[in-house]
Amino acid sequence: MKSKEFRVVVLISGNGSNLQAIIDQVKAQQLPVVISAVLSNKADAYGIQRAKAANIDTITINNQEFTSRDAFDAAMQQEIDKYQPDLIVLAGFMRILSDDFVNHYLGRMINIHPSLLPDYRGLNVHQRVLNDSKTVHGVSVHYVTPELDHGPVFLQSQVPVKPNDDADTLAKRVQQEEHKIYPLAIKWIAEKRLDYNHGNLLLDGKPLHSPQFLHKVMTESDRQSGSH
Ligand code: GRF
């Protein structure tokens, strides 16, 4: 294990398209990290095949074989820490994490959530956005803290909601942005541009009071006010 490597462990439960985006950026030498391992709580997660195809170590720990969340999380922690990771990347990991696990990786664990946090925490986000007739939606990357989907957000990207969208078309549009912003978020951390600093985020040494945006959607009111 080379000491100057920035080591990442990715946690998944399913398809792993975000994992793939990260793998592709590493392969293209656009993301200066080593993906040390991919951990899934489901043996049949397609993301495990993606990791194997990229010669990345895989770990499967079936949460159903544990009697408590704490025991499952402790087993994960033991496996993850063998890799001495600098960063834990949650990429569609569909388990709520115990406080002990989160606190062990505090400031070293990030998540991607398919909404413009703090709006639409939790599940079924795209349908809820459609139900509310929103015209702008998006995705957020945030540090993980014990309260679900509440940790400090540092990078977001917006997408338009189109009149004929259903939850699937909207999810696809959001995912295209996910695949851009998640590798970028990891890059900022690996390059030490972003610092957690006890929850007070610093970007390039300056306090980050609100998230950065990769893309913004111009709304009707932006147009009317002439802003760009
Ligand atoms: C993504 O939509 C992400 O925002 C959410 O889980 C999904 C994972 O998708 N946290 P994939 O497995 O990376 O394709």
Side-chain angles (χ1 to χ4, degrees):
M1 206 182 274
K2 284 185 246 155
S3 62
K4 65 177 179 47
E5 286 176 345
F6 188 91
R7 291 182 291 272
V8 172
V9 171
V10 183
L11 272 55
I12 61 162
S13 298
N15 178 19
S17 69
N18 280 283
L19 167 67
Q20 189 66 57
I22 297 163
I23 291 172
D24 292 347
Q25 289 292 300
V26 173
K27 273 195 189 152
Q29 300 192 322
Q30 298 298 311
L31 181 55
V33 307
V34 171
I35 307 171
S36 301
V38 171
L39 183 152
S40 174
N41 63 315
K42 290 183 186 289
D44 61 355
Y46 184 59
I48 286 288
Q49 291 186 42
R50 297 180 189 269
K52 285 186 173 154
N55 287 319
I56 297 168
D57 281 6
T58 60
I59 309 160
T60 301
I61 306 180
N62 180 353
N63 57 284
Q64 292 175 338
E65 289 173 5
F66 293 81
T67 50
S68 71
R69 187 182 305 287
D70 283 347
F72 170 63
D73 285 3
M76 283 202 298
Q77 187 176 313
Q78 197 176 24
E79 290 302 313
I80 292 168
D81 283 352
K82 288 180 187 167
Y83 291 92
Q84 299 177 28
D86 298 291
L87 187 69
I88 312 300
V89 172
L90 304 181
F93 186 67
M94 300 305 285
R95 301 286 310 162
I96 291 175
L97 297 165
S98 60
D99 288 4
D100 281 353
F101 184 91
V102 172
N103 286 326
H104 179 71
Y105 297 111
L106 200 64
R108 294 191 288 148
M109 180 156 63
I110 58 173
N111 182 43
I112 189 159
H113 181 77
S115 80
L116 296 170
L117 291 171
D119 296 342
Y120 301 101
R121 295 178 168 119
L123 297 174
N124 297 323
V125 166
H126 307 299
Q127 190 56 53
R128 285 157 58 208
V129 166
L130 291 170
N131 293 348
D132 290 348
S133 305
K134 295 283 181 187
T135 56
V136 179
H137 184 31
V139 57
S140 306
V141 182
H142 66 95
Y143 279 95
V144 178
T145 56
E147 202 179 349
L148 188 71
D149 297 335
H150 274 73
V153 178
F154 57 93
L155 186 57
Q156 296 185 314
S157 198
Q158 295 182 340
V159 299
V161 182
K162 297 191 176 170
N164 296 327
D165 270 334
D166 58 26
D168 287 341
T169 57
L170 189 51
K172 281 203 185 92
R173 195 169 309 122
V174 170
Q175 276 230 317
Q176 287 176 353
E177 289 306 299
E178 293 185 13
H179 300 160
K180 292 175 200 151
I181 75 166
Y182 219 8
L184 180 62
I186 296 166
K187 190 173 186 208
W188 284 2
I189 297 169
E191 290 179 341
K192 315 263 183 288
R193 288 188 59 194
L194 187 71
D195 182 14
Y196 182 74
N197 193 30
H198 306 287
N200 300 309
L201 302 188
L202 297 172
L203 183 63
D204 297 329
K206 295 188 190 105
L208 186 67
H209 297 300
S210 55
Q212 297 280 298
F213 278 88
L214 184 63
H215 294 133
K216 274 201 165 188
V217 169
M218 201 187 241
T219 61
E220 197 46 46
S221 66
D222 290 336
R223 271 189 206 99
Q224 283 168 9
S225 67
S227 61
H228 297 283

